[in-house]
Amino acid sequence: MLWRSPATVALLLGYPILVALLVAVALQTEGRQPAVALVNLDTSGTSVRVGQQRLSVADYTDRLAEEVDLKPLGPEQAQRELEAGRVAAIITLPEGFVADLRSGLAPAQVILTTSPRQPIVAESIRRRLEAAVFRFNQSLAGEYVANVIALVDLVVNGGDLGIFGRSVEAIGLVRARDLVQEVQATLRQRGDDEVADRLDPIVTFIDGAAANLDLARPAANAIRSPIELEVNEEARGSQPLSAFGFAGALVVSLGLAGALLAAATLSGERDENVLVRLRRGLVPAPALVGGKVALTAVACMVVGLVLLALVALLTALAVGRWALWLPVLLLAGAAFGAFGTLIGAAARDSRTALLATLMLSVPLVAVGLIPNSAPADVVAALVPFGPAFDSFQTLLVEPEVPTRVLLEMGHLALLAVAFGAAAAWVLAARPT
Amino acid sequence: MTAPSAPLLRAVGLTRRYGDFLALDGIDVALSRGEAVALTGPNGAGKTTLLSILAGVTRPTDGTVEARNGRPGWVPQGPSLYGRLTTAENLRLFAALEGDADPDGLTADLIARADLTGFADQPAHTLSTGTLQRLNLCVALAGRPGALLLDEPTASLSPDQRHRFWDWLAELRADAGLAVLFSTQSVDEAVRRADRLLVLARGRVAFAGGPEELASGAASDPAQAEAAFLRLVSDDGP
């Protein structure tokens, strides 16, 4: 009967595509950097030498630009842009910023002014800049520590020491100990043991100093990086974040459209008073439900394949495994359909059925997308949206597929049968 | 009027409870070939409940229903059709669901007999009330039933549509020997269109007999028939 209602067909095809597009747009927006004004009041043009590097204000702002979209502006213009909402915050580098960095007497300050009208964006910027400042401080600390370790090495092993542009040779503790011991040996050959023995405390001091300075190296390294985060990623398919987003978009669009379609077809027959005729033995309740479930499964498969084809053609996301997508989409559609049919069977009319389907499906879809939450996992396992999301994500992300997908397909089939049986029972028990 | 013969539809001791409410209390009904029986009574008397049990839509709490020549045709109060399908498509679909060997032939026959030729390719939701009710009746006939159950079939029809509807039903009874049980709120319609009357009140049979018996031989006088009906269904009635 669908072909008699072009508007319904258009809605059936257009709604999931529209939802998928909106989710895709939302995901793209998430990756966009917020605009932030940069007011540089340090016009000295000086730089500071740290280890082997010479750092200027430009080096610092380059690091910040990795986190936000920096727009260099004057103080007044930056304030106007903030008030107009064209930038979400102002970063000010005060006068003497590099001088403070060079002297080390007081920490160099960066001032962040955020807009009270954009509290969520402001919080995001604050966290991004905290991360950027922390990373910059770490790299500076690394340079300082490397400098200290080089000096320790010079004290222990000796080498060239640059002072006021001149190179002076430092002998170092190792060489100093050798020299003292050579002097002691010479004195003892001359029979002047008493004087030689008086030099022993110097040797002991040199040994102690060298031993302690050897400990300084690991200690300095520990200060440079007290805790290191090592990220071990399992072997994964390409672009797991995009795949996560697209799997979510598929579940939202197909899940809602499928459940609504099934609920509408069954409750529509009740509205048209046709169920009265069909239920008189013309069509048994399981067959009535089965027809709606099959229609939804096919519709979800077609729409799902169209969406996948569009993604494969228009984006960089790798979509493959078409032979597995076919049964997965069919089973997901059947489970969505059975879920919708149960609501359609229980509802008094179409409007109630559609409203109830939306009110139940939207939170349940959200629960299905929440990862690793014990109560949510239990609820998600009892409705088709969670298992469908898992199977979509597995096909898009996991490099090794079959066993896991087979289990997820079994889960979807089980839910389709359970909800379908419940719908048939309600349909048979409920007065028409 | 056609004489009653072996019942095509027989119900014995039909009782239906909805919780504490007794909608039907031990009703017996028999419907013979070619016979027209009117089911009347005040609102809530149990007319629709009785018809829906006889049609197999509602299960009785107690009692039995036996139908010969397959299940009876069923015309519920409102149209029960797929509004997006055309007249012909609705008929073809229900003929196929009824298991008819030649759904196309039966569809063409019903369209011709109901004078629906001009509406064959028109979606059902665009039809007028009278045409829709004729199509509703045709769908009920798609199973080639021996008996027909109609729930207030003329309630929404204009006088001329009502007249044509009864004429066509009379033809069907005469041609195919169709047994008809119809409910109506109109005592006049019941008296004029039925061979027998079944008056329900408070879930029980208040009267069963011919139209002339209702008003002691004055069935041709609508006022007397209505007065007799009111006496039967009043709280102090039998």
Side-chain angles (χ1 to χ4, degrees), chain A residues 281-298:
Chain A
L282 288 186
V283 186
L288 263 176
V289 169
K292 275 58 179 173
V293 170
L295 170 71
T296 311
V298 172

Side-chain angles (χ1 to χ4, degrees), chain A residues 259-276:
Chain A
L260 286 170
L261 172 68
T265 50
L266 191 61
S267 56
E269 284 181 337
R270 192 188 298 281
D271 284 355
E272 292 190 303
N273 218 17
V274 174
L275 277 184
V276 175

Side-chain angles (χ1 to χ4, degrees), chain A residues 38-304:
Chain A
L38 173 69
V39 178
N40 180 15
L41 300 178
D42 188 338
T43 51
S44 61
T46 56
S47 59
V48 57
R49 182 184 176 83
V50 179
Q52 302 302 313
Q53 292 186 47
R54 185 160 284 283
L55 297 172
S56 65
V57 166
D59 295 311
Y60 188 71
T61 55
D62 285 350
R63 296 290 183 94
L64 296 180
E66 291 171 8
E67 298 295 331
V68 293
D69 179 17
L70 280 183
K71 296 181 182 307
L73 298 172
E76 289 85 14
Q77 193 185 357
Q79 191 59 39
R80 281 198 301 274
E81 295 290 291
L82 184 70
E83 285 167 5
R86 285 189 284 273
V87 296
I90 303 171
I91 295 173
T92 306
L93 301 180
E95 197 177 343
F97 174 76
V98 173
D100 284 343
L101 201 60
R102 186 167 46 193
S103 74
L105 294 174
Q109 282 194 323
V110 178
I111 300 161
L112 175 67
T113 310
T114 55
S115 167
R117 291 193 303 173
Q118 300 182 42
I120 295 173
V121 180
E123 179 64 18
S124 159
I125 291 170
R126 189 176 68 78
R127 288 178 188 279
R128 284 166 184 243
L129 291 183
E130 276 177 353
V133 167
F134 173 76
R135 284 201 298 275
F136 193 66
N137 283 345
Q138 259 206 326
S139 68
L140 285 178
E143 291 293 341
Y144 284 130
V145 167
N147 231 4
V148 168
I149 289 172
L151 283 171
V152 168
D153 193 56
L154 186 70
V155 170
V156 174
N157 297 313
D160 285 338
L161 180 63
I163 299 175
F164 301 119
R166 293 172 58 193
S167 181
V168 177
E169 189 188 354
I171 61 169
L173 292 174
V174 174
R175 178 74 184 126
R177 189 180 191 280
D178 291 345
L179 288 173
V180 171
Q181 285 185 325
E182 280 173 23
V183 171
Q184 281 182 311
T186 306
L187 286 171
R188 286 192 177 107
Q189 280 173 359
R190 290 177 186 170
D192 201 352
D193 288 352
E194 189 188 338
V195 178
D197 290 345
R198 284 170 62 189
L199 292 175
D200 281 347
I202 297 175
V203 174
T204 306
F205 167 75
I206 290 172
D207 287 344
N212 280 304
L213 286 172
D214 277 347
L215 290 176
R217 197 189 311 272
N221 275 323
I223 291 167
R224 177 165 62 183
S225 221
I227 298 172
E228 275 192 355
L229 176 66
E230 186 179 321
V231 179
N232 293 322
E233 261 199 87
E234 287 181 23
R236 283 177 167 268
S238 62
Q239 300 153 305
L241 194 62
S242 303
F244 177 90
F246 182 59
L250 264 186
V251 166
V252 172
S253 54
L254 295 184
L256 288 182
L260 286 170
L261 172 68
T265 50
L266 191 61
S267 56
E269 284 181 337
R270 192 188 298 281
D271 284 355
E272 292 190 303
N273 218 17
V274 174
L275 277 184
V276 175
R277 283 199 199 281
L278 299 180
R279 285 275 316 286
R280 293 182 57 227
L282 288 186
V283 186
L288 263 176
V289 169
K292 275 58 179 173
V293 170
L295 170 71
T296 311
V298 172
C300 282
M301 186 195 70
V302 171
V303 175

Side-chain angles (χ1 to χ4, degrees), chain A residues 1 4-5 269 272-274 276-278 280-283 432, chain B residues 55 71-72 74 79-85 89 98 136 139:
Chain A
M1 263 131 274
R4 293 282 174 207
S5 179
E269 284 181 337
E272 292 190 303
N273 218 17
V274 174
V276 175
R277 283 199 199 281
L278 299 180
R280 293 182 57 227
L282 288 186
V283 186
T432 50
Chain B
R71 67 174 147 260
W74 165 236
S80 59
L81 307 156
Y82 287 102
R84 297 275 174 193
L85 294 188
E89 285 167 343
E98 291 279 3
N136 212 19
V139 169

Side-chain angles (χ1 to χ4, degrees), chain B residues 195-208:
Chain B
D195 301 319
R196 285 194 296 126
L197 273 71
L198 199 63
V199 181
L200 293 186
R202 297 173 295 280
R204 292 182 181 155
V205 175
F207 172 82

Side-chain angles (χ1 to χ4, degrees), chain B residues 37-84:
Chain B
V37 177
L39 184 62
T40 189
N43 285 336
K47 301 186 296 293
T48 297
T49 303
L50 176 58
L51 283 171
S52 63
I53 289 174
L54 294 174
V57 175
T58 303
R59 287 200 190 98
T61 309
D62 203 3
T64 57
V65 179
E66 289 172 31
R68 284 172 48 212
N69 292 6
R71 67 174 147 260
W74 165 236
V75 183
Q77 260 181 25
S80 59
L81 307 156
Y82 287 102
R84 297 275 174 193

